[in-house]
Amino acid sequence: MTLSVRIIPCLDVTNGRVVKGVNFTNLVDAGDPTEMAALYGLEGADELTFLDISASSSGRETTLDVVRRTADQVFIPLTVGGGIRSVKDVDALLRAGADKVSINTAAIARPELIAEISDSFGSQVLVLSVDARRARTESGFEVTTHGGREGTGVDALAWVQQACELGVGEILLNSMDADGTRAGYDIGMITAVRAVSPVPLIASGGAGTLQDFAAALDAGANALLAASVFHFGIHRISDVKAYLSAAGYCIRESALQ
Amino acid sequence: MIAILDYGSGNLRSAQRACESTGRTVVITRDFEIAMQADGLIVPGVGAYASCMAGLVAIQGDEIIRKRRELERPTMGICVGMQILFSQGSERSRDSAVLTPGVGLWPGEVSRLKADILPHMGWNSVETNPAGVLFAGVENESFYFVHSYAAKESVGQLTTWGTYGEKFVAAVEDGSLSATQFHPEKSGKAGLKLLKNWADSL
């Protein structure tokens, strides 16, 4: 009776389609988020994350439809992030079938949004997405926006502490230095954020080898998010879980087919 | 017909679809009569104990649950929908602790889990009682939990236990009244099987 570590594939979605390349076999439509979500579910994903990178309101409306179709077929937790600015946005996503939402830029611009969402729906629906890089702030980690291109001057550890006090239920820590490099998660950053975070921590950015996943857990991550290693077929989710299980970590296995 | 009680916002869609997978017709409703007449009633729940109770009382949901209990009509609480079946819930709002009365069909208080990292979020295994109906065929599966508070006292023999920081009530089967602290509608095939077990018992 131990809580399993969670393996979470992340899909970037715009205008109802997955944008990053994928390498699934036997896939009828490589760009359909619902279909990919279902396949990842079969492979043993413990949760799913959609990141809506649509630039238009019609694109966001399409995302709601993707969420509805996914929630109708895939019975594991679904987090949706991207462009969420209000309690109303959260309500629409939850009603469409999302279980959690992740917020980032809007919370930096207006931290009260965190309390507004958590007071309305409970902190368990709210994931704070922190895009951080190494920089000369007090802790050495700075919050960025726009995919790591713009610094905010906000210290990442101070921000995590403030957000936890305001009521987030989970931290999604994205290393902008490691993102896309497949050179490993930023272990120092995970260790530092773990030390100040009383809520579960999802590590993101840099997953390459199977050992990388274990190293992030050793640094204190409770869940591991990855995109490209799964989409490009470098590792299957089942391989990651088998590796972690053999290494002594508690993973979810199901006997049901 | 299974009715899902709608007394606040949240993801009811997954609960509806998961219940539909049992082969039953499923409606989401806040109508007193429809909720009373359903073969099985699901009481979901997200968010804080106090706001959940307030939402429930606003649609006379507490009355519906009590009356169904008296008539032995099956009801199943999920997550906070389970917690409100107990006598009371304690909740820390920022600095102060407040007690909120629940529907009170089971004795005991729902209190904060003693764990370093909260919420208890993710897939965890449970310690089931083989005499129950809900866990038939899924005794060794994991289920998806998201909560910081839990009941800690046994509710009869068919109490299923979970452990996170400390032992807590993960599920209860008490005649017509069942409940799970985890989300069966989000627990993959294991959760769907549990819902099927419940639906087949109606």
Side-chain angles (χ1 to χ4, degrees), chain A residues 50-95:
Chain A
F50 285 158
L51 185 58
D52 180 8
I53 55 171
S54 303
S56 65
S57 57
S58 66
R60 297 200 184 285
E61 190 52 43
T62 309
T63 297
L64 283 176
D65 191 51
V66 168
V67 171
R68 282 184 206 107
R69 285 194 291 121
T70 305
D72 287 353
Q73 297 173 38
V74 187
F75 296 100
I76 59 175
L78 173 63
T79 302
V80 182
I84 295 160
R85 308 206 171 275
S86 67
V87 165
K88 200 170 148 239
D89 292 341
V90 176
D91 188 50
L93 282 165
L94 297 182
R95 286 186 178 277

Side-chain angles (χ1 to χ4, degrees), chain A residues 9-250:
Chain A
C10 177
L11 299 168
D12 286 357
V13 176
T14 183
N15 300 315
R17 308 288 291 176
V18 173
V19 281
K20 277 189 185 164
V22 292
N23 188 21
F24 273 124
T25 51
N26 302 323
L27 197 59
V28 178
D29 178 356
D32 181 60
T34 297
E35 195 162 349
M36 287 184 62
L39 275 169
Y40 279 133
L42 287 175
E43 281 194 357
D46 298 303
E47 286 187 28
L48 294 162
T49 291
F50 285 158
L51 185 58
D52 180 8
I53 55 171
S54 303
S56 65
S57 57
S58 66
R60 297 200 184 285
E61 190 52 43
T62 309
T63 297
L64 283 176
D65 191 51
V66 168
V67 171
R68 282 184 206 107
R69 285 194 291 121
T70 305
D72 287 353
Q73 297 173 38
V74 187
F75 296 100
I76 59 175
L78 173 63
T79 302
V80 182
I84 295 160
R85 308 206 171 275
S86 67
V87 165
K88 200 170 148 239
D89 292 341
V90 176
D91 188 50
L93 282 165
L94 297 182
R95 286 186 178 277
D99 300 286
K100 301 187 255 189
V101 296
S102 75
I103 58 169
N104 183 351
T105 314
I108 296 164
R110 207 169 65 78
E112 315 87 81
L113 180 62
I114 292 171
E116 288 168 17
I117 294 171
S118 98
D119 288 348
S120 300
F121 310 103
S123 61
Q124 80 288 339
V125 307
L126 188 55
V127 182
L128 180 74
S129 178
V130 181
D131 291 349
R133 67 181 178 192
R134 288 172 181 264
R136 286 186 189 152
T137 59
E138 193 183 339
S139 71
F141 303 106
E142 180 193 25
V143 179
T144 69
T145 59
H146 300 84
R149 291 193 304 276
E150 292 184 21
T152 60
V154 174
D155 184 77
L157 296 198
W159 173 230
V160 165
Q161 284 174 293
Q162 185 191 355
C164 287
E165 279 162 23
L166 285 166
V168 298
E170 206 170 12
I171 303 288
L172 168 57
L173 180 65
N174 312 298
S175 165
M176 301 326 288
D177 300 316
D179 190 40
T181 64
R182 289 187 211 141
Y185 291 97
D186 187 331
I187 298 304
M189 187 185 282
I190 294 168
T191 306
V193 171
R194 168 79 286 156
V196 299
S197 168
V199 301
L201 176 61
I202 308 167
S204 165
T209 67
L210 293 173
Q211 289 85 345
D212 292 340
F213 290 94
L217 296 174
D218 291 341
N222 306 103
L224 304 162
L225 182 139
S228 63
V229 288
F230 295 140
H231 302 330
F232 293 118
I234 295 167
H235 302 300
R236 296 175 74 92
I237 290 172
S238 49
D239 297 335
V240 175
K241 293 180 94 167
Y243 172 83
L244 292 175
S245 179
Y249 299 91
C250 182

Side-chain angles (χ1 to χ4, degrees), chain B residues 102-169:
Chain B
V103 180
L105 295 176
W106 291 329
E109 182 179 320
V110 174
S111 57
R112 197 169 171 89
L113 283 166
K114 292 182 180 69
D116 294 336
I117 296 172
L118 287 174
H120 172 215
M121 186 177 286
W123 298 79
N124 212 328
S125 53
V126 293
E127 198 182 314
T128 64
N129 184 319
V133 168
L134 286 184
F135 291 91
V138 289
E139 297 87 351
N140 301 315
E141 296 288 323
S142 293
F143 300 90
Y144 190 79
F145 291 84
V146 187
H147 62 123
S148 297
Y149 295 79
K152 313 204 178 143
E153 291 165 48
S154 171
V155 184
Q157 291 193 340
L158 292 181
T159 299
T160 288
W161 296 95
T163 304
Y164 183 70
E166 61 180 317
K167 220 169 155 179
F168 66 89
V169 178

